[in-house]
């Protein structure tokens, strides 16, 4: 074969299952159960009749300018991507040479390892402690880039802004705070953007704005760093319809906030109900919970649920194989899930 | 700064101007002047009410399966990308290690050099001869990947299938035939896909299918090579609306063919009319022409046109600064352009 040795030797990242049939209760990839704002849909209907034959704005300034206004920053502080993964790709390509190090606490988003592999870099994985506070081994690490999912996936836990700031200040490399789930959390690091030369925040429209299908994410960071990252993005990386959707979604911010509040309420109900069934659920700041499964165990429960067309997420690896990650769906989906889990755990208790 | 030395040292790729205002005659970035199929628009209107909150199919199989059927290949021969540029990024990341070589004839799509720069690779540029046949220096080159835009941009010229085959057979590395403009040409290399282990074809929906705004392209190649390339793509690299648009566009293939025929007719008229004004136009197999400008010269004409809100493409570099690249617009746009060019060249002749 013709490919680079690090490509030939690497395992591909496997995203969560996207079932092609219908009738699934889909609680496996942290999508928002509610549709996007009706204003977004109306804007898409209009744009579908627009100039689809013309290239989009390479910089997606309609989105950048709205973000700048909302967060009190400048257009130059933002880079818009084809989903948060595009941002991770761009940043990693800009920072990581062959044999350079990439650090992250684990367990976390497995794609960070894939990013390092693709560049021929080396991943440094520092295990979280029991309470999922930031591990001391992460502070002062010598990686070119440290990825911190905050809130973290799969745990759902979050480090405080002051802890993140202390981490950034301890590093010679860049800290990317992946805030894909931040709208569901009590605080976030956007106010730090621009105050530290090595801190960036990544955000996504996939979760809180219900636009996973349209692939829009962004980087917020120091303008000089963003300017370098722009060199590594595809010229027209965000399409016309996604630009319109993101801009309109920002114009209807209250719609997002209202959905987020609903999801937080359902999250609390889900966590309490799971614990009443014998699960042990970590405190979540995201739109999912990570929960240690009682008998018959995480893998058996995952498979039983899948047979009933209820999809949750399970990883068969040492740090994670006693847990299930469950996205916070609509209340009726969660009620259905809990009913089935009640039967499964009760039957296991009878054995 | 924190970035890799090759990123810090490189010039960003500058795409053709996308004017934000209205009233421009836009003949600078080879977009199709006609809208996409009405069936595509209707499919988008339906999908805008669909599950935008859910991630898209990571493999875009609705598109892969239609391509496989059309070209007599298998699903596994195709990788769908967020535009042709995404395909170029993926292929380059898979093939090019630091200091590896990337070859292409020049002048050509300037992004190939950017691709090499981003990987820390070295570009080998082999000048075309006067007639834009494949330069002998390209055969047997030792690059990991050779990019051949065919038809070529900016020249519009094309090498024959038999010449491309001879080139692939002479190489130890991979040959990527960038057929973004192939639907406008007399022949193409799709029938070679699968017959040579080192040959891939890149295609785009941006030009012939009038979908530049939606960012869809694809790679067709040997299944084992495509499988490796899949490791380097973002998980959800093509969004839901673009997948629907591409699949529907393939279902209405005749609409595309009809637009292409119209553009070929206008291309012939444009080339003949330019030559009558004293330009010297290369024979074009694409949806644009490259033409050597008479007095007052390419740069002056480009700027004069721009002042009148007519955009064509001009590169101020040694191999290209005597030429203008003009996209084949609608007939009324071309009539307008030719009227202005007539005045400009006549005035220069009076000096």
């Amino acid at each position: 074969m013709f490919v680079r040795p690090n490509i030939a030797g690497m395992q591909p990242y496997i995203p969560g299952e996207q079932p092609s049939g219908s009738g699934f209760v889909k609680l496996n990839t942290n999508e928002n159960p509610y549709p996007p704002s009706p204003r977004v849909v109306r804007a898409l209907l209009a744009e579908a009749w627009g100039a689809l034959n013309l290239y989009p704005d390479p910089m997606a300034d309609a989105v950048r300018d709205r973000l700048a206004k909302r967060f009190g920053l400048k257009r130059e502080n933002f880079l818009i991507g084809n989903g948060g993964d595009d941002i991770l790709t761009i940043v990693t390509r800009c920072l990581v040479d062959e044999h350079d190090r990439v650090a992250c606490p684990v367990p976390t988003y497995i794609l960070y390892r894939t990013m390092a592999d693709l560049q021929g870099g080396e991943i440094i994985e520092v295990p979280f402690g029991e309470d999922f506070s930031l591990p001391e081994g992460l502070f002062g690490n010598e990686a070119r880039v440290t990825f911190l999912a905050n809130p973290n996936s799969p745990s759902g836990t979050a480090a405080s802004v002051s802890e993140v700031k202390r981490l950034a200040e301890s590093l010679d490399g860049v800290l990317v705070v992946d805030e894909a789930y931040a709208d569901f959390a009590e605080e976030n690091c956007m106010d730090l953007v621009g105050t530290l030369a090595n801190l960036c925040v990544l955000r996504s429209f996939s979760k809180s704005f219900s636009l996973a299908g349209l692939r829009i994410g962004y980087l917020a960071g120091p303008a000089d760093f963003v300017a370098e990252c722009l060199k590594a993005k595809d010229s027209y990386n965000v399409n016309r319809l996604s630009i319109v959707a993101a801009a309109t979604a920002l114009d209807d911010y209250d719609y997002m906030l209202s959905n987020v509040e609903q999801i937080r309420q359902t999250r609390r109900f889900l966590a309490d109900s799971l614990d009443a069934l014998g699960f042990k659920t970590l405190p979540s700041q995201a739109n999912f919970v990570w929960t240690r499964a009682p008998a018959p165990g995480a893998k058996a429960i995952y498979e039983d649920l899948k047979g009933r067309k209820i999809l949750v997420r399970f990883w068969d690896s040492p740090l994670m194989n006693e847990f299930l990650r469950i996205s916070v769906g609509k209340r009726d989906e969660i009620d259905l899930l809990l009913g089935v889990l009640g039967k499964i755990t009760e039957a296991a208790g009878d054995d």
Side-chain angles (χ1 to χ4, degrees), chain A:
Chain A
M1 288 305 296
F2 304 94
V3 299
R4 299 161 62 205
N6 60 319
I7 301 287
M10 74 181 274
Q11 294 297 316
Y13 172 77
I14 311 287
E17 190 175 359
Q18 303 296 340
S20 52
S22 61
F24 285 87
V25 175
K26 196 166 178 314
L27 306 172
N28 66 330
T29 50
N30 299 341
E31 288 131 332
N32 195 311
Y34 303 107
S37 157
R39 284 177 61 182
V40 169
V41 176
R42 282 200 296 274
L44 287 172
L45 296 177
E47 187 71 8
W49 291 106
L52 300 184
N53 58 316
L54 301 186
Y55 284 101
D57 174 4
M59 303 299 289
D61 280 335
V63 183
R64 295 213 297 171
D65 288 347
R66 283 166 171 84
L67 291 171
K69 190 172 174 193
R70 170 149 300 272
F71 295 118
L73 293 163
K74 292 185 176 167
R75 175 192 279 189
E76 290 75 18
N77 292 115
F78 295 96
L79 186 164
I80 315 300
N82 183 41
D85 290 351
D86 187 29
I87 299 294
L88 290 173
T89 294
I90 291 166
V91 169
T92 309
R93 292 192 85 188
C94 283
L95 293 173
V96 181
D97 258 325
E98 202 168 357
H99 307 306
D100 278 348
R101 280 170 282 187
V102 174
C104 60
V106 285
T108 191
Y109 189 24
I110 296 167
L111 191 71
Y112 302 147
R113 167 183 278 275
T114 306
M115 291 287 139
D117 287 347
L118 283 169
Q119 285 298 98
E122 289 165 22
I123 190 89
I124 304 173
E125 299 181 325
V126 186
F128 278 112
E130 273 290 309
D131 65 351
F132 278 89
S133 59
L134 291 186
E136 276 306 317
L138 203 61
F139 289 79
N141 79 66
E142 295 186 351
R144 297 295 302 272
V145 58
T146 300
F147 289 117
L148 176 69
N150 201 49
N152 185 50
S153 172
S155 65
T157 54
S160 69
V161 171
S162 59
E163 276 291 277
V164 175
K165 183 162 184 279
R166 185 169 75 85
L167 175 60
E169 288 168 345
S170 79
L171 299 173
D172 290 329
V174 171
L175 175 63
V176 176
V177 188
D178 181 344
E179 293 199 337
Y181 301 104
D183 286 324
F184 304 100
E186 280 164 30
E187 55 174 9
N188 64 69
C189 293
M190 197 59 89
D191 284 347
L192 296 182
V193 171
T195 69
L196 294 163
N198 69 334
L199 181 136
C200 295
V201 166
L202 181 159
R203 289 278 182 96
S204 169
F205 284 79
S206 294
K207 275 80 181 189
S208 55
F209 286 99
S210 308
L211 287 170
L214 289 197
R215 321 304 308 121
I216 321 149
Y218 60 92
L219 183 76
D224 54 355
F225 180 68
V226 168
E228 291 296 309
C229 289
L230 286 170
K231 295 178 182 174
K233 85 172 185 68
D234 285 343
S235 312
Y236 304 107
N237 62 329
V238 185
N239 72 85
R240 281 184 170 263
L241 294 172
S242 298
I243 290 172
V244 162
T248 310
L250 289 169
D251 288 342
D252 199 2
Y253 215 80
D254 286 345
Y255 176 90
M256 178 276 281
L257 293 176
S258 166
N259 277 349
V260 161
E261 184 48 37
Q262 183 63 54
I263 287 165
R264 281 174 165 158
Q265 286 180 25
T266 309
R267 177 178 76 196
R268 199 174 311 122
F269 169 75
L270 171 61
D272 292 347
S273 304
L274 286 169
D275 289 355
L277 290 172
F279 289 79
K280 287 179 180 164
T281 307
L282 278 85
S284 172
Q285 297 272 312
N287 68 336
F288 57 86
V289 300
W290 206 40
T291 189
R292 186 186 294 269
K299 188 172 186 178
I301 295 174
Y302 159 76
E303 287 171 351
D304 195 336
L305 289 173
K306 190 171 174 180
R308 300 169 198 243
K309 298 184 96 169
I310 300 175
L311 300 179
V312 301
R313 197 81 186 265
F314 169 74
W315 291 270
D316 204 352
S317 65
L319 285 171
M320 304 199 273
N321 61 9
E322 296 178 11
F323 291 81
L324 296 174
R325 194 189 68 183
I326 304 172
S327 306
V328 179
K330 290 181 184 170
R331 178 60 190 261
D332 61 341
E333 297 174 313
I334 297 303
D335 286 340
L336 180 69
L337 168 79
L338 289 167
V340 173
L341 287 178
K343 287 178 196 160
I344 294 172
T345 53
E346 191 180 4
D350 292 344
D351 288 344

